[in-house]
């Protein structure tokens, strides 16, 4: 079963103003707050849904994304087989390069494991004649 529409969760229309969204959230949060409904798993779950909906609808950028594509805006893309889109870190590890920052610091070794640098600094005297 998919998630409930955030507007429906807060009991507001898609044309609700930020103040209307905030007002509805506050009323519902007071009604379902776990401190006021001790031991009620149903109230706790409802409170979490209300909070999640408010976190999205109160943020103009997140709200715009939600309005365009719904819950898919916050779900990692997967194809039919359930393949997760790899991150850059995954790609670096797959090629044996370890963490992306290791590549730039020169600390990668075989299979992405950091190399240890043996020994200490080398020092010596060089004579140069004019």
């Amino acid at each position: 079963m998919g998630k409930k529409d955030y507007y429906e969760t807060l009991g507001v229309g898609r044309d609700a103003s930020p103040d209307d969204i905030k007002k509805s959230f506050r009323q519902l949060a007071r009604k379902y707050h776990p401190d006021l409904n001790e031991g009620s798993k149903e109230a706790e779950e409802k409170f979490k849904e209300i909070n999640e909906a408010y976190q999205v609808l109160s943020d103009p950028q997140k709200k715009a994304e939600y309005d365009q594509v719904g819950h898919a805006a916050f779900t990692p893309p997967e194809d039919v087989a359930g393949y997760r889109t790899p991150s850059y870190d995954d790609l670096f590890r797959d090629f044996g390069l370890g963490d992306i920052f290791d590549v730039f610091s020169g600390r990668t070794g075989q299979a992405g494991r950091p190399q240890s640098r043996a020994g200490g600094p080398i020092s010596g005297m060089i004579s140069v004649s004019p």
Side-chain angles (χ1 to χ4, degrees):
M1 183 174 124
K3 287 187 175 190
K4 190 175 177 184
D5 180 74
Y6 288 150
Y7 291 100
E8 190 177 325
T9 299
L10 293 181
V12 296
R14 289 193 172 272
D15 59 345
S17 71
D19 287 336
D20 291 338
I21 291 169
K22 186 181 217 176
K23 181 179 177 182
S24 181
F25 166 73
R26 286 183 174 176
Q27 288 174 344
L28 292 168
R30 273 193 296 264
K31 181 177 178 179
Y32 292 103
H33 197 281
D35 290 346
L36 300 176
N37 297 282
E38 275 190 58
S40 173
K41 288 290 183 188
E42 185 179 319
E44 184 180 338
E45 288 304 312
K46 185 72 174 168
F47 183 78
K48 287 177 184 178
E49 288 176 17
I50 293 164
N51 192 40
E52 181 180 334
Y54 182 70
Q55 294 303 314
V56 171
L57 297 182
S58 65
D59 180 308
Q61 183 177 352
K62 289 180 183 177
K63 182 179 182 296
E65 290 176 33
Y66 179 75
D67 288 344
Q68 285 184 330
V69 294
H71 293 288
F74 312 106
T75 307
E78 295 183 359
D79 70 7
V80 179
Y83 176 75
R84 184 177 61 86
T85 304
S87 69
Y88 286 113
D89 287 339
D90 293 337
L91 292 172
F92 276 84
R93 256 183 236 100
D94 289 347
F95 287 107
L97 299 175
D99 187 276
I100 188 169
F101 296 109
D102 290 344
V103 172
F104 296 113
S105 66
R107 295 182 305 174
T108 58
Q110 185 179 12
R113 291 185 205 106
Q115 287 181 344
S116 62
R117 297 188 184 223
I122 299 174
S123 62
M125 299 288 287
I126 299 176
S127 298
V128 179
S129 55

